[in-house]
Amino acid sequence: MRSTTRRSEQVITSQYVTPQGICDPEQAKAIAKKLFDLYDRDRNGIIDGQEVSPMLIDAYRGMSKAFNPTQADVDTFVQVLDVNRDGKITYQDVENYALRILAGIQPLPSYSIQLPPQRQYNRMVEERLEVARRLFKKFDVTQCGYLTRNEVPGLLRETYKQLNIEFEPTPQDVQAWMDMTDTDCDGKVALQDFEQSIIRSLQEQGISLY
């Protein structure tokens, strides 16, 4: 009876429910802090879409699985963390997620998650993206989920070859492509970055996406 009372007091004081998990709340918070600091690369206090992709890739790599998240994967994960629907993943969102998954507790208040239907690109756009994904996988020789500067020349050659154009990229060409595609300026291009560059290119050509 005494133990039950003490547990009830803990729930009221900490404003959490279901206190059980693989670590205690303070440990979960410490892990959340490390994760947020690691992936908030531009230090703006928000984890945006460009920073979610490497988070997912690293999470699957930790399970010894290769995973190249699509935009739909990123959008879904953002919505899972962004339970207050403010359109941003803040430190509080990450902390709440860590508390729920690692400490087995649900921060109050809780929110129901209803994912909106994903809008699909039209067939032509999806075909272009599928080609881009195959090229990305081919030249991601280390299977790390990123393309580095050394892997870019091969990708550019093959891309132009698909258009029946012989092209030998110069260091300036590689730099220009990195500047355009590496939107978070971390020296690496994730699949999401590559897909978004394809989408931007199609939009600039006036091609309808949907």
Side-chain angles (χ1 to χ4, degrees):
M1 186 67 179
R2 183 177 304 160
S3 174
T4 301
T5 301
R6 185 177 300 117
R7 174 170 293 188
S8 299
E9 290 173 351
Q10 179 184 2
V11 172
I12 294 171
T13 302
S14 62
Q15 298 184 333
Y16 298 120
V17 296
T18 319
Q20 53 186 334
I22 62 175
C23 66
D24 64 42
E26 293 308 313
Q27 290 172 321
K29 289 181 181 180
I31 292 172
K33 179 76 165 59
K34 290 180 180 179
L35 285 173
F36 191 86
D37 289 345
L38 177 62
Y39 293 104
D40 179 23
R41 295 178 176 176
D42 56 9
R43 298 294 183 263
N44 66 347
I46 297 169
I47 294 180
D48 56 30
Q50 297 293 333
E51 294 163 331
V52 167
S53 185
M55 178 185 287
L56 288 172
I57 291 170
D58 290 346
Y60 275 83
R61 186 183 300 133
M63 297 183 287
S64 300
K65 295 181 180 179
F67 178 63
N68 289 321
T70 64
Q71 185 61 49
D73 295 324
V74 171
D75 291 343
T76 298
F77 189 69
V78 167
Q79 291 179 36
V80 169
L81 267 66
D82 180 28
V83 291
N84 65 356
R85 295 297 184 267
D86 64 356
K88 300 175 289 188
I89 296 179
T90 63
Y91 170 71
Q92 190 61 55
D93 293 324
V94 175
E95 181 180 281
N96 288 347
Y97 186 75
L99 286 167
R100 185 169 68 252
I101 300 300
L102 301 177
I105 58 182
Q106 177 64 57
L108 298 177
S110 61
Y111 300 84
S112 60
I113 299 175
Q114 296 180 346
L115 301 179
Q118 296 293 328
R119 192 177 182 188
Q120 299 295 316
Y121 294 121
N122 63 38
R123 181 176 179 180
M124 186 275 289
V125 175
E126 285 296 339
E127 288 175 351
R128 294 282 188 92
L129 289 175
E130 186 56 36
V131 171
R133 291 169 190 136
R134 288 200 299 268
L135 287 173
F136 186 96
K137 184 175 181 180
K138 177 178 180 180
F139 290 98
D140 179 19
V141 294
T142 60
Q143 296 297 299
C144 64
Y146 296 97
L147 293 180
T148 62
R149 185 181 302 275
N150 292 336
E151 295 165 324
V152 170
L155 175 68
L156 292 177
R157 290 189 201 98
E158 187 65 25
T159 299
Y160 277 89
K161 186 178 179 180
Q162 297 280 333
L163 303 173
N164 295 317
I165 299 174
E166 292 294 328
F167 177 68
E168 183 59 37
T170 67
Q172 291 76 21
D173 294 325
V174 172
Q175 183 61 53
W177 190 86
M178 291 291 293
D179 291 341
M180 177 183 67
T181 310
D182 179 21
T183 54
D184 59 1
C185 301
D186 64 352
K188 299 179 290 187
V189 175
L191 176 60
Q192 181 196 356
D193 297 326
F194 188 35
E195 289 183 344
Q196 287 303 307
S197 72
I198 301 296
I199 294 299
R200 287 195 301 271
S201 175
L202 294 175
Q203 289 176 315
E204 290 169 359
Q205 295 173 52
I207 296 174
S208 175
L209 301 181
Y210 303 102

